Structure formats: structure tokens, C-alpha cells
Amino acid sequence: NAVLCWFEIRFDACHKPVAFATGPESPPTCWKQTAFFLEGPPLSVKAGDRVKGMIAVRKYSEKRRHIDIKILCRVNSGSGQVH
């Protein structure tokens, strides 16, 4: 079980607008995709199911690149699992 993440970004309010994405079908950048591997029992997901979730990020320590990430996933309207 994992959640895969990437981003798309646009800088429109500058002298030369810039946009790029880091998705799996986008041209390579120095930023890549990220996989968050989940602990606990696997989520059961079938074709047609709706998966909803939330990602919360906060500073973890005084070290500027350390962060704490919590992920909540729900399939259909069942109970969520926090990872």
C-alpha cells in the first residue's frame, strides 16, 4: 500500500510565466515523484471505488528540511486509516 504524489505548478505573475509538472508522464525535472508507503492493513480498493484523503505536513524539528507527514485515506464512505 502506498500513496504516490507529484505536483504541477505555475508562476503566472512574473515577467515570463513558467509552468511545469513532476508527474510520471511529465518531462523529467530535478524534483521527482514521491511514494509514501503505508503501515497497517492494506486498503481494499476496487475499480469504481472513490478514494478520498488528506495529507498534513508540519515542520518536524529545527532542521529546515525535516518534516512530519500524516496521511488519511478513505475508500468510499468507510472508516479512515491514519498513517
Side-chain angles (χ1 to χ4, degrees), residues 3-17:
V3 175
L4 304 177
C5 297
W6 57 86
F7 65 89
E8 297 176 9
I9 192 162
R10 295 174 55 107
F11 298 101
D12 290 328
C14 51
H15 65 284
K16 182 179 178 188

Side-chain angles (χ1 to χ4, degrees), residues 44-50 75-76:
S44 179
V45 181
K46 301 179 298 297
D49 283 351
R50 178 175 288 189
V75 179
N76 291 336

Side-chain angles (χ1 to χ4, degrees), residues 2-75:
V3 175
L4 304 177
C5 297
W6 57 86
F7 65 89
E8 297 176 9
I9 192 162
R10 295 174 55 107
F11 298 101
D12 290 328
C14 51
H15 65 284
K16 182 179 178 188
V18 177
F20 65 91
T22 62
E25 296 183 11
S26 301
T29 70
C30 61
W31 299 284
K32 304 198 183 312
Q33 301 86 34
T34 299
F36 295 101
F37 295 95
L38 306 177
E39 297 175 345
L43 294 171
S44 179
V45 181
K46 301 179 298 297
D49 283 351
R50 178 175 288 189
V51 179
K52 291 185 177 184
M54 179 189 73
I55 298 176
V57 180
R58 70 179 176 134
K59 188 174 179 181
Y60 183 71
S61 71
E62 293 303 315
K63 296 182 179 175
R64 60 181 221 168
R65 292 185 179 224
H66 289 210
I67 55 176
D68 181 42
I69 301 172
K70 291 194 181 347
I71 299 175
L72 172 69
C73 297
R74 292 177 191 231
V75 179

